[in-house]
Amino acid sequence: MRENEILVREQLSEVVVKFVIYKPLVAASARAGQFVILRGSEKGERVPVTLVDWDAQKGTITVIIQSIGKSTFMFNSLKQGDCFLNVLGPLGVPVETKNYGTVAVIGGGVGIAEVYPIAKALKTAGNKVVAILGARTKELLILEDEMKAVCDITLPCTDDGSHGQKGMVTDVLKTAVQGGEKIQAGFVIGPIPMMKFTSLLMAELGVEPYASMNPIMLDGTGMCGCCRVTVDGKVRFACVEGPMFPARGIDFDELIRRTGEYKGEEKRAVEEYEKDHQCKIGLH
Ligand SMILES: Cc1cc2nc3c(=O)[nH]c(=O)nc-3n(C[C@H](O)[C@H](O)[C@H](O)COP(=O)(O)OP(=O)(O)OC[C@H]3O[C@@H](n4cnc5c(N)ncnc54)[C@H](O)[C@@H]3O)c2cc1C
Ligand code: FES
C-alpha cells in the first residue's frame, strides 16, 4: 500500500463519492470535527474535506466528496489504486464531545457525512443522539443506515417528500422539540442558509446551537486569513479555531457573501473542464 492511495471508492449518489485512503499518520490522531486538505496534482487547488471516519489499526481515513466544482469533480473521477498528491491533516479543532444529555445532529446533503463522526463521538460520550437528515430527494440522502447505527433516533426528510418527512430539517426539529424531545445542544452542517436558519430556530427553541463553518480555505494552518469568519463581532479563523463554532453569534450573511466572491471564476473553470473532458457535472 502506498501513502495517499485510494483503497476503496464507492459511489454514494450521482454526485457523491466515498474514498477510503491509506494515511496512517492522520488515522492515528484524527478526532471528530477535524478535516484534511487534499490536493490532486502539483497545480491543483487545496480542498478541505471532513474526516468522516478513520481506522488507526488499518491506517485508513474515510472522506466523502460531493462534485460541486472543478476540483471536486476531478477528485471524484479518481479510481481505486490512484493516489492523492497530498493529504494534509488532521486540521482544525475537534468538537467538544461531552455529555450534554440529549443532542441533535443535523446534516443537509453532503453535510450528513460531515456530521456523522460527531454523532458517533457524542453517542460514545453518553448522549441520547437525535439525527435529522435532510436532502433534496431520496437519491441524495446518504448514510442513513450508518447514522441509524450510532444514533438513538434518526429522522430523514426530503424537500420533495420522496423519503421520510416532506419538508426541511427545521420542520423536523420543531416537531421533535414540540413533541417533547428535551434537546440541550444541536450541531448542524450543510449549506450555509440551512445552517443559518437551523441555528436561529435552535436558539429560539432553547437548544444551544453549533454550526460548522465552510469558508474558502487555502493553507489551513492560520497563516493566510482566507477562512476568516465573524463570530460575536470578532474575526476568527475557521481552519485553526473551528470549523465548529457556537452559532448564536456567527455572521452567516458575511459568510454567504465571502464564499460567493469567486462564482464567476468557478463557473468558468467548470466550463473549461467540461469542454476538455466532454463529461457532465451533476450539479451545474
Ligand atoms: C472545513 C471544511 C470541511 C469540508 N468538508 C467537506 C466534505 O466532507 N465533503 C465535501 O464534499 N465538501 C466539503 N467541504 C467543501 C469543499 O471544500 C468545497 O466543496 C470544495 O473546495 C469546492 O471546490 P471545487 O473546486 O470543486 O468547487 P469550486 O467551483 O471552486 O467552488 C464551489 C463552492 O465551494 C466553496 N469552495 C471553493 N473552494 C473552496 C476551498 N478551498 N475551501 C472551502 N470551500 C471552497 C465555495 O463556496 C464555492 O462557491 C468542506 C469545506 C470546509 C471548509
Ligand atoms: S485557511 Fe488560511 S488562515 Fe485559515
Side-chain angles (χ1 to χ4, degrees):
M1 273 180 291
R2 292 164 300 160
E3 189 96 347
N4 305 344
E5 182 180 341
I6 296 168
L7 304 181
V8 179
R9 180 196 186 280
E10 187 185 341
Q11 192 84 34
L12 298 186
S13 78
E14 192 191 354
V15 288
V16 178
V17 177
K18 167 176 153 179
F19 294 105
V20 179
I21 303 166
Y22 186 62
K23 191 70 187 178
L25 273 180
V26 177
S29 56
R31 307 250 310 271
Q34 291 188 297
F35 63 96
V36 286
I37 287 188
L38 301 177
R39 217 156 56 111
S41 62
E42 273 304 335
K43 288 192 176 171
E45 248 186 332
R46 300 161 64 86
V47 177
V49 292
T50 302
L51 282 157
V52 175
D53 214 345
W54 49 89
D55 185 326
Q57 283 196 333
K58 291 186 182 155
T60 59
I61 59 167
T62 301
V63 296
I64 295 183
I65 302 176
Q66 174 166 321
S67 303
I68 192 160
K70 181 178 172 184
S71 299
T72 45
F73 192 78
M74 284 167 80
F75 288 170
N76 283 357
S77 69
L78 292 171
K79 312 227 165 3
Q80 186 180 331
D82 289 343
C83 286
F84 285 95
L85 179 66
N86 309 118
V87 179
L88 172 72
L91 300 169
V93 181
V95 169
E96 193 188 355
T97 46
K98 62 182 183 188
N99 191 340
Y100 295 86
T102 301
V103 292
V105 291
I106 304 165
V110 78
I112 297 172
E114 299 176 54
V115 93
Y116 168 77
I118 296 169
K120 210 166 138 182
L122 287 165
K123 182 67 192 162
T124 306
N127 293 281
K128 175 178 175 185
V129 182
V130 179
I132 301 174
L133 316 178
R136 286 206 314 275
T137 188
K138 181 180 179 182
E139 204 267 321
L140 297 174
L141 203 138
I142 57 170
L143 301 192
E144 189 178 349
D145 290 342
E146 289 82 350
M147 287 299 259
K148 276 185 181 154
V150 299
C151 298
D152 296 275
I153 301 173
T154 303
L155 304 167
C157 63
T158 46
D159 294 358
D160 63 2
S162 53
H163 184 62
Q165 186 176 321
K166 184 176 191 308
M168 291 184 285
V169 291
T170 42
D171 303 323
V172 179
L173 174 67
K174 209 172 192 169
T175 309
V177 172
Q178 287 171 349
E181 283 298 344
K182 300 217 172 332
I183 301 172
Q184 276 81 31
F187 298 80
V188 59
I189 310 185
I192 304 167
M194 173 249 186
M195 291 197 283
K196 173 181 171 177
F197 290 111
T198 308
S199 299
L200 287 171
L201 177 66
M202 285 197 271
E204 202 182 298
L205 295 171
V207 176
E208 202 47 50
Y210 295 87
S212 187
M213 296 296 88
N214 54 353
I216 292 177
M217 290 187 178
L218 280 180
D219 65 302
T221 57
M223 288 186 283
C224 70
C226 187
C227 68
R228 73 172 193 272
V229 290
T230 304
V231 185
D232 291 326
K234 293 198 188 86
V235 170
R236 310 287 297 269
F237 287 178
C239 68
V240 285
E241 299 180 84
M244 189 70 83
F245 289 98
R248 284 178 191 271
I250 293 174
D251 187 341
F252 284 104
D253 295 333
E254 178 193 61
L255 183 64
I256 290 170
R257 269 199 312 280
R258 282 179 51 77
T259 49
E261 265 171 29
Y262 300 101
K263 282 275 177 257
E265 288 83 352
E266 288 158 357
K267 190 162 174 276
R268 266 199 304 283
V270 167
E271 284 165 358
E272 276 163 28
Y273 183 77
E274 273 185 313
K275 231 189 296 158
D276 288 349
H277 294 78
Q278 295 185 322
C279 50
K280 161 179 158 280
I281 297 184
L283 283 187
H284 289 265

